[in-house]
Amino acid sequence: MKKVVVILKSESENSDNYGALLEKHGFEPVFIPTLDFSFKNLEVLRDRLLSPYKYSGLIFTSPRSITAVRDAVRGQKLKDDWKTLENYSVGETSRDLIQRALDLDTKGHHSGNASNLADFIKTDLYNKTVTMPFLFPCGNLKQDVLQNKLSEYGYSLDTVEVYETVPHRDLERNLVALFRSEGEANKDRTIDSLLFFSPSGINYCAHVFEKHRLDLTGKRIIAIGPSTKKAIENKGITVHRTAEKPSPEYVVGALLHDT
């Protein structure tokens, strides 16, 4: 019987990386786009990006913030002065995208989440004099963990909200169709696991589960990161495993833990 792993995340260029590694380990990946984004305040961001001398560096915690910076500079190169500053990002995929799209190197990509990144920044800046704020492009659903921790450590953020998160237009239709197909003709194909990548993703999906009475019994719920784990549990859903970092290797490791 084929074990279907449902990948519930926003559309991005690294989705194929998850699919390829899951197939290698005998799973059948099914990608359901969960989130969509609309960008805003790019002119405000552009003005900030033109003044690197006012900042200690840039901080990225999502792929959308990278896209926003790229779009804000309108296809031009980011000012070289940014390269001499202290720049940070979460996730290897984001680090690679920043290098390609912005020609900028970042540190802290191995940290896995915003809380760990704040701790890394504190350690990295030990014995360095940092007086300017960090420029932090982010979304409307950002959590305050990074800002609160950095403030506690004596650093400040200039936050620019550059995108809105909304449910993907096809999320409800695709989820319902997938669950109903499992109960019909495909007896040799069952949903083994559902992977949730963000608190907003589980919030939108939980609404669909409740509305259509989709049964999660017997399906393993895998959370990517501690904040997503907490959001799933807040919905009264049991988390079977947590992948500590948003990478295909950590996700597969969590899936294989029980097999």
Side-chain angles (χ1 to χ4, degrees), residues 67-113:
T67 301
V69 169
R70 183 199 66 192
D71 291 351
V73 297
R74 302 170 188 167
Q76 300 174 348
K77 287 184 61 178
L78 202 60
K79 280 182 170 288
D80 283 341
D81 290 348
W82 285 106
K83 295 182 179 181
T84 65
L85 302 180
E86 308 290 345
N87 303 301
Y88 301 94
S89 64
V90 172
E92 295 181 9
T93 300
S94 290
R95 177 201 58 181
D96 294 344
L97 181 58
I98 293 164
Q99 287 177 331
R100 292 197 307 274
L102 305 176
D103 191 25
L104 189 71
D105 290 326
T106 55
K107 298 176 286 185
H109 54 274
H110 59 277
S111 53
N113 59 60

Side-chain angles (χ1 to χ4, degrees), residues 30-44:
V30 173
F31 173 55
I32 293 185
T34 308
L35 307 176
D36 211 344
F37 307 95
S38 58
F39 291 91
K40 62 180 184 178
N41 295 330
L42 294 189
E43 285 301 319
V44 175

Side-chain angles (χ1 to χ4, degrees), residues 164-223:
E164 300 269 354
T165 304
V166 296
H168 193 278
R169 62 189 178 278
D170 296 326
L171 173 62
E172 181 172 357
R173 177 166 59 85
N174 288 339
L175 264 181
V176 172
L178 178 66
F179 272 74
R180 288 182 177 165
S181 69
E182 183 190 36
E184 294 169 358
N186 295 312
K187 298 298 183 182
D188 61 336
R189 188 171 178 267
T190 183
I191 299 172
D192 175 79
S193 308
L194 294 96
L195 310 182
F196 292 97
F197 285 74
S198 68
S200 52
I202 180 58
N203 290 340
Y204 294 140
C205 289
H207 172 72
V208 178
F209 297 151
E210 293 165 11
K211 178 180 176 181
H212 294 277
R213 299 181 181 179
L214 303 181
D215 188 7
L216 297 178
T217 303
K219 295 167 177 42
R220 295 188 299 167
I221 306 300
I222 309 296

Side-chain angles (χ1 to χ4, degrees), residues 221-241:
I221 306 300
I222 309 296
I224 298 1
S227 60
T228 303
K229 178 178 185 288
K230 183 178 179 181
I232 296 172
E233 291 174 338
N234 286 343
K235 293 294 182 182
I237 300 172
T238 300
V239 175
H240 292 75
R241 294 291 168 197

